[in-house]
Amino acid sequence: MTYFPEEVVEHMFDFLSHRDRNAVSLVCKSWYRLERWSRQRVFVGNCYAITPERLIARFPRIKALTLKGKPHFADFNLVPHDWGGFVHPWIEAMAKSYPGLEELRLKRIVVSDESLELLSRSFPNFKSLVLVSCEGFTTDGLAAIAANCRVLKELDLQEIDVEDRRGQWLSCFPDSCTTLVSLNFSCLKGEVNLGALERLVARSPNLKNLRLNRTVPLENLCKILSRAPQLVDLGTGSYVQEPNSEHYMKLTSAVLNCKSVRSLSGFLDVAPRCLPAIYPICLNLTSLNLSYSPGIQGNELIKLIHHCRKLQRLWILDCIGDKGLGVVASTCKELQELRVFPSDPYGGGSAAVTEEGLVAISMGCRNLHSLLYFCHQMSNAALITVAKNCPNFTRFRLCILDPQKPDHVTLQPLDEGFGAIVQSCKGLRRLSLSGLLTDQVFLYIGMYAERLEMLSIAFAGDSDKGMLYVLNGCKYLRKLEIRDSPFGDVALLTDVGKYETMRSLWMSSCDVTFGGCKALAQKMPRLNVEIINEKDQMEENPDDRQKVEKVYVYRTLDGPRRDAPDFVWTL
Amino acid sequence: MSPPLLGVVEGQGNVSLVALPPASADGSCQNNSELKERNYMGLSNCSSVDSSAISSLSEGKNSSLNLKATELRLGLPGSQSPQRDPELSLLSPGKLDEKPLFSLLPLKGGTQSSSQKVAVLGNKRGFSVAMDGFSEIKSATFNEGNWMFPAAGSDSETAHSAPQGKFSVNSGVNVMLSPRPSLNSGVKSVSVKEHSGAQPGMLKEATPVKVLQESPHTANENSHNPSAAAKNNSSAPAAKAEVVGWPPIRSFRKNTLATTSKNNDEVDGKPGPGALFVKVSMDGAPYLRKVDLRTYSAYQELSSALEKMFSCFTIGQCGSHGDPGREMLSESNLRDLLHGSEYVLTYEDKDGDWMLVGDVPWEMFIDSCKRLRIMKSSDAIGLAPRAMEKCRNRN
């Protein structure tokens, strides 16, 4: 290999994933050097595992960065608001060292308007900004991006609460901007200038993904579709109209022209009578997201699904019911990913979907590999059946809405059911547990879930043994998050070296004590052991035996972070 | 007995609820006085309150011209207040409840039951029935009729007897297509059982989104899960809701869904699937009411519901109506009505203009109506004459 000119080796590296690139850089010094200078894309799963300066030193020529901030449980309000995860230091550092930066993808990161402004001015070649579950900015920041990024191709905002400053950010895209490929502002609540939107669409011949927000009326959707019949991914705005109206008729014919749409979403406000207009699109749909459309009732959903024979990904609300899932099972034979969200998380007992729906899906959709399923009841028998029918699961997340609810038929824990899943699905990488579970399920996980990378545990287990089974058994475990489970210091401290092989460990409302956390921090200097100390929970010098409410442990090369707020103690 | 407009066979309690075309509406007020206007204060125009409902079934039509005279007639163009009596005519006497229709006290805050927080639909507010009955009515999906159930037991049984999960049961339960504020629970329970043929389509739109999502289970919920039914119910789920971060759903999603559903139930009647509440004001009335436009499918239903709702305020007159109920609305009837009626129904549309109700197709009306107003004819200059024109032209 040393006889190959460097350009050739570099070219070969281009085909490798970032994990493989990590591997090849360890082969020899010249490869390390080559790989380092040719690496363009980098993924940093924990923004505190490494400082921006260290990243820049290691990879001097990055063009695309993916950064993740808060721990996953922050999505469910378990992490205080100002815990951290700021992008600004990264943008500042990269502004100096990565003038050629083109892409930035952030998840659970705090982004301010200043950061966006700095971003928009620092990278003349900036092309793609994707923000998922971020916070901290307003439409003013978006205006800066629109105005200053001359060759912007992608602006994608997902599940973000953006404060609306009514500044007409969309109008800030200059007339010279014709490079847009993807624009997703569906999560925005404020109005946009509809004329500007239409003009923007008209001058963006490469536009493939467009997701509108609910303030864009159906009339305008019509006009937009006629200007952009090449769309591949469409998210509707408000989908309310009188079916006999002229606008609706125009929409119907505009839709017929959009032969390329493969992904459909939106419908936050929907008049179900107008759904037939999109039936022609449904024939070729591979991805459908109706998880924000409580306005479409079960039988209307079913009517729609009947048209979607090629669906591969379906996100839906549980008002589809078991019957509807049966229709999905018989219609969508190529389904790979299914997410069923609860339309009413707190309504007790009224089972919109049950284990029957899941079983039906497993029988009909044999290619299913990714599942997120919220339901009110489950049984071991059902899980065992599902495991048999679908051995290809890579992601299996089951959330029984009632914590610690047993098998509703036998009243037994669901250990056997989940055990069947991990035993059958040899490629399982991500698993979320729920329902009544004892240490037994963790024994199964440790024994069988060999490829498991991420495990979420809530209200489960009996003793430290449970957690130990997992830590001992799952070699490739990267993220372990536990809440409200009886795991204590013994579990925490038995195998401290394990945590350096993992990205992070989260434990909240468990039995670990202050003393245990201190011991861990002491033994493992390359871990940050952060105690998240909500008000009044701990005095200045807490007793070692006091239980810790929330602890977040992660490996890091750069020691305790300097931006930790007062309530976070890094031991 | 004048034929029930709703195609009901009297006395058998088999009802198929059919939206009546306006033309077939019976113009006369005097027929079928069985169903009396019940005002929300529990003061019936009839001497006897509930059992009269039964007895009056078999009575002749002409019992209370006077009473009819006090009924509100909106004189909606092209439609006629249909007889509501047919519904009562469905009653099997045994079902009727003997308890007083209304307590004299309006329900506090519109909640029907101490054990539940219910999305109160406009036309139910203030019609308190014996509160004790309510504690048995767990299902807040009985929104339409909750407040009217003094005898929860009968309702529960009825619901029990219905097959589980059958939508038809729920249709009867959930929605009174022509809301009858004055009906007692007995009537309601009958309608629960009887309206199995009710049109699901309409009902779907009628029930609020949240409710509907549980509708297939109302029958069950009624029986065994007190707080399960209503999404708005806060008693049992309150405990669950206290677990922080559970269920594991992103706040963004929770907030968005909550907003969307809230919009559907919102009091200012924002358009959207589910209930569409609009305020109804009447000139001279001390307070306003609210109606869910989605529970009706035609103008006449709305009109008759409003008439009932506001009848207590009416000092309208009806002309003599000699025609039997069976006949189509004749021009003379209409004219009589319009002439005789003191009130005109108008609405404010999206642009803020006050329009006469009845001109546009129903669906279009729903989409554009922001609020309703029952206007005195004398004020309705420029609005009402149009209907009069039509009348005159026909004649």
Side-chain angles (χ1 to χ4, degrees):
Chain A
M1 280 303 226
T2 42
Y3 305 111
F4 274 24
E6 291 189 346
E7 300 81 40
V8 177
V9 180
E10 252 186 56
H11 185 67
M12 290 186 332
F13 287 171
D14 276 348
F15 293 96
L16 301 177
S17 69
H18 70 265
R19 285 193 199 182
D20 288 342
R21 289 187 77 121
N22 292 346
V24 303
S25 61
L26 296 176
V27 167
C28 63
K29 280 195 191 151
S30 69
W31 277 27
Y32 175 88
R33 186 176 41 85
L34 262 179
E35 196 282 318
R36 179 175 166 246
W37 282 93
S38 63
R39 172 99 65 133
Q40 294 190 332
R41 316 185 69 87
V42 116
F43 171 86
V44 179
N46 176 1
C47 62
Y48 289 121
I50 184 178
T51 60
E53 290 74 24
R54 187 185 285 267
L55 176 73
I56 293 167
R58 174 75 170 83
F59 299 115
R61 286 217 201 126
I62 293 296
K63 289 196 178 156
L65 173 67
T66 302
L67 200 58
K68 290 192 181 179
K70 295 188 188 177
H72 174 234
F73 274 177
D75 280 348
F76 319 131
N77 297 334
L78 287 179
V79 176
H81 181 67
D82 32 0
W83 171 88
F86 306 102
V87 76
H88 202 78
W90 290 85
I91 297 184
E92 276 182 331
M94 292 193 295
K96 295 182 205 132
S97 310
Y98 292 154
L101 188 74
E102 293 181 7
E103 299 174 28
L104 187 60
R105 195 188 158 97
L106 306 175
K107 187 167 184 180
R108 281 189 285 272
I109 292 265
V110 177
V111 183
S112 64
D113 284 342
E114 291 74 39
S115 306
L116 290 176
E117 171 91 21
L118 182 59
L119 174 70
S120 71
R121 294 195 185 282
S122 309
F123 310 108
N125 230 14
F126 194 75
K127 295 195 168 77
S128 165
L129 181 64
V130 179
L131 304 176
V132 181
S133 273
C134 295
E135 56 172 338
F137 62 98
T138 75
T139 49
D140 287 351
L142 296 179
I145 297 286
N148 301 329
C149 300
R150 297 297 163 99
V151 290
L152 192 70
K153 279 168 129 178
E154 179 174 25
L155 178 59
D156 188 351
L157 309 170
Q158 299 177 27
E159 309 216 339
I160 307 175
D161 233 320
V162 180
E163 190 192 315
D164 185 50
R165 289 274 173 91
R166 304 177 189 277
Q168 306 284 8
W169 64 274
L170 197 75
S171 315
C172 294
F173 280 105
D175 289 341
S176 54
C177 173
T178 58
T179 47
L180 263 188
V181 173
S182 170
L183 178 63
N184 174 7
F185 60 95
S186 54
C187 60
L188 262 54
K189 303 213 175 64
E191 293 188 352
V192 293
N193 185 316
L194 295 172
L197 174 62
E198 279 169 47
R199 288 191 296 276
L200 180 62
V201 170
R203 65 174 183 273
S204 304
N206 298 324
L207 192 66
K208 292 276 186 300
N209 305 347
L210 180 62
R211 297 197 182 194
L212 310 170
N213 75 349
R214 80 200 294 174
T215 67
V216 179
L218 193 138
E219 302 86 89
N220 298 81
L221 173 65
C222 219
K223 295 187 208 163
I224 287 169
L225 286 182
S226 7
R227 294 213 190 251
Q230 76 281 5
L231 282 180
V232 171
D233 184 325
L234 172 65
T236 67
S238 159
Y239 196 81
V240 178
Q241 192 48 265
E242 179 60 38
N244 302 326
S245 69
E246 199 191 322
H247 290 302
Y248 181 71
M249 298 304 172
K250 284 196 194 150
L251 176 73
T252 317
S253 52
V255 161
L256 285 171
N257 242 354
C258 294
K259 304 199 195 313
S260 309
V261 174
R262 296 288 174 270
S263 168
L264 192 59
S265 60
F267 301 100
L268 263 76
D269 293 316
V270 53
R273 291 186 316 265
C274 294
L275 287 175
I278 55 159
Y279 288 171
I281 290 184
C282 293
L283 297 174
N284 287 321
L285 268 190
T286 55
S287 168
L288 178 61
N289 182 354
L290 295 176
S291 63
Y292 284 104
S293 316
I296 309 182
Q297 302 303 328
N299 62 343
E300 286 141 353
L301 281 174
I302 290 174
K303 270 195 260 174
L304 192 69
I305 297 283
H306 272 304
H307 295 261
C308 304
R309 308 205 140 262
K310 298 199 185 154
L311 219 50
Q312 293 173 12
R313 181 197 308 168
L314 177 62
W315 291 24
I316 206 148
L317 288 173
D318 63 2
C319 49
I320 192 174
D322 285 335
K323 179 164 161 249
L325 289 179
V327 174
V328 172
S330 54
T331 312
C332 310
K333 292 299 186 191
E334 296 171 38
L335 197 67
Q336 297 177 14
E337 175 181 336
L338 174 67
R339 297 195 189 189
V340 181
F341 294 95
S343 37
D344 172 32
Y346 300 119
S350 88
V353 294
T354 68
E355 76 277 17
E356 290 179 17
L358 185 58
V359 169
I361 289 281
S362 75
M363 291 178 51
C365 309
R366 299 298 174 116
N367 290 334
L368 199 62
H369 63 71
S370 173
L371 179 75
L372 172 60
Y373 197 78
F374 286 85
C375 59
H376 285 279
Q377 65 188 41
M378 187 49 61
S379 69
N380 283 312
L383 284 175
I384 292 169
T385 308
V386 169
K388 250 190 278 186
N389 291 337
C390 294
N392 297 321
F393 275 118
T394 55
R395 290 180 197 84
F396 190 88
R397 293 192 281 165
L398 178 66
C399 178
I400 302 164
L401 288 163
D402 230 330
Q404 297 183 311
K405 187 163 181 181
D407 178 326
H408 78 100
V409 175
T410 66
L411 298 181
Q412 295 298 304
L414 289 169
D415 300 333
E416 299 305 311
F418 280 105
I421 294 282
V422 292
Q423 197 173 359
S424 162
C425 305
K426 311 235 184 284
L428 194 69
R429 296 202 309 262
R430 181 169 180 183
L431 178 65
S432 294
L433 305 170
S434 59
L436 182 65
L437 296 163
T438 71
D439 284 344
Q440 184 71 11
V441 72
F442 299 113
L443 177 62
Y444 290 142
I445 292 174
M447 277 171 60
Y448 297 115
E450 289 167 350
R451 298 255 133 215
L452 197 64
E453 296 178 3
M454 180 169 177
L455 179 63
S456 306
I457 302 171
F459 305 99
D462 306 316
S463 73
D464 289 326
K465 280 199 277 189
M467 184 167 160
L468 285 173
Y469 290 143
V470 172
L471 291 176
N472 288 339
C474 301
K475 276 192 306 196
Y476 297 106
L477 195 64
R478 291 192 293 122
K479 285 184 278 186
L480 180 59
E481 45 186 26
I482 308 172
R483 63 166 293 180
D484 294 276
S485 301
F487 307 136
D489 292 339
V490 172
L492 183 69
L493 295 173
T494 299
D495 182 7
V496 291
K498 175 78 175 169
Y499 305 126
E500 271 194 8
T501 69
M502 293 165 52
R503 186 189 298 172
S504 65
L505 166 72
W506 168 279
M507 292 181 77
S508 61
S509 305
C510 298
D511 291 346
V512 293
T513 67
F514 192 68
C517 295
K518 272 203 302 196
L520 176 62
Q522 203 172 18
K523 287 191 199 175
M524 305 293 298
R526 288 197 296 192
L527 295 179
N528 277 352
V529 179
E530 291 189 10
I531 311 275
I532 295 171
N533 212 358
E534 317 240 48
K535 309 180 231 194
D536 305 332
Q537 259 176 30
M538 279 188 162
E539 324 93 37
E540 271 309 311
N541 279 319
D543 184 58
D544 276 4
R545 282 160 303 170
Q546 191 170 353
K547 286 198 190 163
V548 159
E549 188 51 38
K550 297 176 184 173
V551 60
Y552 183 48
V553 180
Y554 56 91
R555 66 182 174 192
T556 176
L557 293 175
D558 288 308
R561 56 189 175 109
R562 275 152 291 220
D563 62 2
D566 289 339
F567 55 83
V568 172
W569 296 358
T570 308
L571 299 177
Chain B
M1 186 75 135
S2 81
L5 289 181
L6 299 179
V8 170
V9 179
E10 196 176 323
Q12 291 178 15
N14 290 323
V15 181
S16 49
L17 206 54
V18 176
L20 273 184
S24 65
D26 173 353
S28 62
C29 304
Q30 85 284 16
N31 305 336
N32 299 334
S33 52
E34 301 86 352
L35 185 53
K36 297 295 174 294
E37 297 292 275
R38 311 278 184 222
N39 62 48
Y40 61 94
M41 286 302 286
L43 306 170
S44 163
N45 292 332
C46 249
S47 50
S48 56
V49 175
D50 26 14
S51 39
S52 67
I54 312 173
S55 49
S56 58
L57 279 179
S58 37
E59 284 173 7
K61 292 69 174 132
N62 306 314
S63 50
S64 48
L65 200 54
N66 318 341
L67 300 169
K68 286 297 178 183
T70 62
E71 288 170 354
L72 174 62
R73 287 287 177 251
L74 292 178
L76 204 59
S79 78
Q80 186 45 259
S81 312
Q83 297 305 318
R84 298 115 199 171
D85 313 304
E87 295 224 357
L88 262 191
S89 70
L90 313 175
L91 299 178
S92 27
K95 294 287 180 192
L96 286 180
D97 179 63
E98 295 303 309
K99 288 193 195 170
L101 271 184
F102 311 105
S103 76
L104 293 180
L105 299 173
L107 287 168
K108 290 190 180 54
T111 50
Q112 281 76 41
S113 149
S114 53
S115 71
Q116 41 185 348
K117 193 169 71 179
V118 169
V120 179
L121 302 190
N123 42 346
K124 308 308 174 303
R125 188 189 301 265
F127 289 105
S128 127
V129 205
M131 289 289 286
D132 51 8
F134 276 43
S135 56
E136 292 169 22
I137 300 227
K138 306 308 181 177
S139 171
T141 54
F142 288 97
N143 278 344
E144 289 285 329
N146 266 350
W147 50 272
M148 295 178 8
F149 290 14
S154 69
D155 254 4
S156 303
E157 285 151 21
T158 321
H160 277 289
S161 63
Q164 279 193 3
K166 284 258 173 72
F167 188 77
S168 56
V169 173
N170 303 321
S171 13
V173 163
N174 280 345
V175 182
M176 290 293 284
L177 291 178
S178 312
R180 311 254 174 262
S182 54
L183 290 182
N184 63 14
S185 68
V187 178
K188 199 62 168 189
S189 60
V190 171
S191 57
V192 167
K193 190 159 124 190
E194 312 301 359
H195 291 185
S196 50
Q199 300 130 333
M202 260 197 296
L203 295 173
K204 260 195 229 314
E205 288 182 337
T207 44
V209 169
K210 288 181 194 170
V211 167
L212 190 61
Q213 283 159 355
E214 311 210 289
S215 62
H217 304 272
T218 1
N220 310 333
E221 289 158 343
N222 203 22
S223 51
H224 53 66
N225 208 334
S227 43
K231 294 188 193 279
N232 296 324
N233 191 323
S234 62
S235 53
K240 289 178 198 153
E242 284 164 14
V243 180
V244 176
W246 192 265
I249 305 171
R250 277 190 185 151
S251 332
F252 178 84
R253 180 175 291 280
K254 267 195 259 194
N255 295 341
T256 306
L257 278 181
T259 313
T260 311
S261 303
K262 187 171 78 107
N263 282 347
N264 296 338
D265 298 344
E266 217 161 39
V267 290
D268 63 352
K270 273 207 192 111
L276 180 59
F277 285 101
V278 293
K279 289 185 189 173
V280 186
S281 61
M282 175 162 160
D283 291 356
Y287 45 81
L288 282 60
R289 303 297 303 276
K290 269 210 152 120
V291 288
D292 177 3
L293 289 181
R294 291 203 194 274
T295 61
Y296 315 114
S297 55
Y299 284 118
Q300 69 180 81
E301 291 176 18
L302 172 66
S303 162
S304 59
L306 290 178
E307 285 168 20
K308 287 181 138 179
M309 214 185 263
F310 287 93
S311 58
C312 54
F313 295 126
T314 304
I315 324 177
Q317 308 147 18
C318 286
S320 72
H321 306 273
D323 305 323
R326 265 185 216 277
E327 282 187 8
M328 308 280 277
L329 172 62
S330 71
E331 290 80 359
S332 58
N333 280 345
L334 173 60
R335 190 177 40 194
D336 281 343
L337 227 72
L338 291 175
H339 281 292
S341 118
E342 270 199 24
Y343 294 91
V344 172
L345 184 59
T346 62
Y347 72 101
E348 183 183 9
D349 71 358
K350 281 181 183 162
D351 303 321
D353 300 321
W354 286 96
M355 321 277 288
L356 185 68
V357 168
D359 289 333
V360 297
W362 175 256
E363 298 296 355
M364 197 182 295
F365 165 68
I366 287 196
D367 283 342
S368 56
C369 173
K370 289 287 166 222
R371 52 187 302 179
L372 289 163
R373 180 175 160 202
I374 303 175
M375 227 181 231
K376 283 196 161 59
S377 303
S378 46
D379 291 340
I381 298 169
L383 296 180
R386 203 162 155 197
M388 311 288 264
E389 289 279 335
K390 288 187 197 161
C391 247
R392 259 181 255 125
N393 292 341
R394 279 192 219 120
N395 296 339

